[in-house]
Amino acid sequence: MSTTENAIASAEAHSAHNYHPLPVVVATADGAWMTDVEGRRYLDMLAGYSALNFGHGNRRLIDAARAQLERVTLTSRAFHHDRFADFCTRLAELCGMEMVLPMNTGAEAVETAVKTARKWGYRVKGVPDGMAKIIVAADNFHGRTTTVISFSTDPEARADFGPYTPGFEIVPYGDLTAMRAAMTENTVAVLIEPIQGEAGVLVPPPGYLAGVRDLTRERDVLFIADEIQSGLGRTGKTFACEHEGVVPDMYLLGKALGGGVVPVSAVVSSAAVLGVYRPGEHGSTFGGNPLACAVALEVIAMLNTGEYQQRAAELGDHLHHELGLLTGGGSVQAVRGRGLWAGVDIEPELGTGREISEKLMERRVLVKDTHGSTIRIAPPLVIGKEDLDWGLEQLREVLRG
Ligand SMILES: *Cc1c(COP(=O)(O)O)cnc(C)c1O
């Protein structure tokens, strides 16, 4: 057996099969490129589902992490540490908000948002105890905890994991009329992705986000934007909501916030909303730890230059132009997305998304399928234009058959 086959066989023997990875075993990575255990190089066109927006081994981020590793890595929130205030202040500034509640993973940020919205509903809005409702969209992806999968519509994500947490209303994504109809006095929040990533990079109809903003404001309901995948530069702006000039009541951030180095997530909102917490009511041992804050501070500084957003916008225009040329030619049905982020629906007779991904892997390009015959393209924002073009050429070759 090859080194690759060995590594895969032993992973399969000793790890739960909750993933179906492509058969590549990565050993090192740099920028947009990964090298496997046999020395083969692959172009990373997934970027850890946007956790690697700044690329692998980004110098600034690795240096920030290394410097912090030598100072202090963990204090717990039982004590203050000297990176915490800066992190919260800078992140709130980046978001145009007032307060931050740091967690680690995206799912924890979503859980925190659910708890915050409920508490805000009871303490501030005056919803009767136990009655709070949160409106979510069909085909959402917000993480994997029992509460979060309770409002998933994906049978794979939900089946056999009940009983489910109540208190959620599911409406079709992009449908303002349905959202309005689902709203009652007990609605405390609307939780949506401004672009649905896992669903296939679905961009809502124009005016949707602005409509959600108007409706939630009118009904005294919190607008929670899950920007865990769409945020921090991916779409060509810091937040995907900006494409409609919309500012929600709460941003949920994760993935790229940790710079591909450590898990860092956060709920960012106003003092009126996050101010509902009292000591002991919520927390996390690792949330807001010094290492996480040091890395995230560097991420925020990098985003403050605007360079990465601009790069995503420019390369994204190029990506969408090139992908657009493929549609209607018998191999690609549709392309969606914004910035350096695309969902590509391949003609089903050319193969499933998985099969296309495997063929791309043979050509040394790594992408990930979503449902059916859709693949998603989301390279690190630092990818070179020539590398992006080379990756697209491999896609054209695969589609040519
Ligand atoms: C990835 C993701 C999450 C969950 O993040 P984890 O860090 O995997 O828990 C939540 N929401 C969206 C939109 C995501 O893309």
Side-chain angles (χ1 to χ4, degrees):
M1 278 211 287
S2 70
T3 321
T4 298
E5 285 163 344
N6 258 319
I8 293 172
S10 75
E12 280 183 357
H14 301 290
S15 72
H17 295 181
N18 57 324
Y19 278 92
H20 182 30
L22 288 170
V24 55
V25 182
V26 175
T28 62
D30 183 29
W33 291 88
M34 299 202 275
T35 304
D36 79 359
V37 286
E38 299 182 56
R40 292 177 291 233
R41 293 180 80 227
Y42 298 84
L43 184 63
D44 182 1
M45 298 260 267
L46 177 67
Y49 304 92
S50 288
L52 287 153
N53 277 2
F54 308 100
H56 296 273
N58 185 289
R59 232 29 281 160
R60 283 185 69 169
L61 297 173
I62 298 296
D63 287 347
R66 187 171 285 136
Q68 190 61 42
L69 280 171
E70 302 294 339
R71 294 179 67 234
V72 57
T73 51
L74 189 67
T75 56
S76 85
R77 294 286 306 279
F79 317 113
H80 289 273
H81 66 75
D82 67 2
R83 314 308 303 266
F84 187 74
D86 252 6
F87 163 70
C88 295
T89 310
R90 295 279 119 74
L91 184 58
E93 262 167 28
L94 181 78
C95 298
M97 302 258 173
E98 294 165 332
M99 279 189 179
V100 170
L101 200 168
M103 297 295 283
N104 311 284
T105 64
E108 286 175 311
V110 176
E111 288 276 348
T112 301
V114 168
K115 289 173 74 174
T116 306
R118 286 177 172 184
K119 193 175 273 292
W120 173 87
Y122 301 129
R123 296 259 181 95
V124 180
K125 184 170 176 173
V127 170
D129 190 39
M131 302 291 281
K133 282 269 198 293
I134 295 175
I135 296 176
V136 299
D139 302 316
N140 68 71
F141 183 85
H142 297 288
R144 299 295 196 169
T145 62
T146 41
T147 286
V148 172
I149 58 100
S150 293
F151 54 86
S152 169
T153 56
D154 176 359
E156 270 181 355
R158 270 176 68 88
D160 301 330
F161 296 130
Y164 302 107
T165 308
F168 301 94
E169 293 288 337
I170 302 170
V171 299
Y173 188 62
D175 186 341
L176 277 174
T177 311
M179 184 177 285
R180 184 181 289 277
M183 231 171 237
T184 71
E185 302 86 86
N186 294 335
T187 306
V188 294
V190 166
L191 165 62
I192 53 166
E193 300 155 81
I195 292 177
Q196 287 191 325
E198 299 301 306
V201 196
L202 301 187
V203 181
Y208 179 63
L209 298 176
V212 172
R213 178 66 286 185
D214 289 345
L215 179 58
T216 48
R217 190 172 280 136
E218 180 193 314
R219 302 292 291 268
D220 195 20
V221 165
L222 300 178
F223 178 3
I224 304 173
D226 180 345
E227 294 251 20
I228 290 167
Q229 193 165 159
S230 58
L232 308 186
R234 174 56 56 191
T235 66
K237 297 198 182 285
T238 307
F239 302 105
C241 282
E242 288 178 62
H243 291 281
E244 283 203 17
V246 162
V247 180
D249 296 298
M250 191 188 288
Y251 285 118
L252 308 186
L253 301 175
K255 295 203 165 99
L257 189 58
V261 181
V262 280
V264 187
S265 70
V267 168
V268 189
S269 188
S270 63
V273 172
L274 279 174
V276 296
Y277 283 109
R278 296 291 166 266
E281 293 176 347
H282 188 59
S284 161
T285 303
F286 288 94
N289 70 73
L291 182 60
C293 289
V295 173
L297 271 166
E298 203 61 32
V299 165
I300 295 162
M302 287 161 72
L303 286 168
N304 279 332
T305 67
E307 252 170 68
Y308 297 88
Q309 295 89 326
Q310 196 188 336
R311 207 177 160 72
E314 285 169 12
L315 285 180
D317 283 348
H318 179 64
L319 171 72
H320 284 281
H321 172 76
E322 293 295 313
L323 291 173
L325 298 175
L326 294 174
T327 48
S331 56
V332 171
Q333 280 184 342
V335 178
R336 295 168 302 273
R338 264 195 175 124
L340 217 37
W341 198 18
V344 183
D345 296 342
I346 311 286
E347 289 290 347
E349 61 262 33
L350 293 181
T352 61
R354 174 74 187 192
E355 287 161 349
I356 300 291
S357 303
E358 284 171 356
K359 287 185 187 157
L360 279 167
M361 192 198 91
E362 284 161 23
R363 294 184 159 272
R364 311 288 174 84
V365 172
L366 298 177
V367 299
K368 179 75 174 81
D369 53 301
T370 56
H371 306 277
S373 289
T374 301
I375 56 167
R376 99 183 82 189
I377 297 180
L381 311 183
V382 297
I383 190 173
K385 181 160 182 294
E386 304 71 37
D387 290 342
L388 179 61
D389 280 331
W390 179 82
L392 287 166
E393 183 53 28
Q394 305 316 303
L395 176 62
R396 282 190 288 267
E397 288 295 329
V398 164
L399 296 178
R400 224 168 265 147

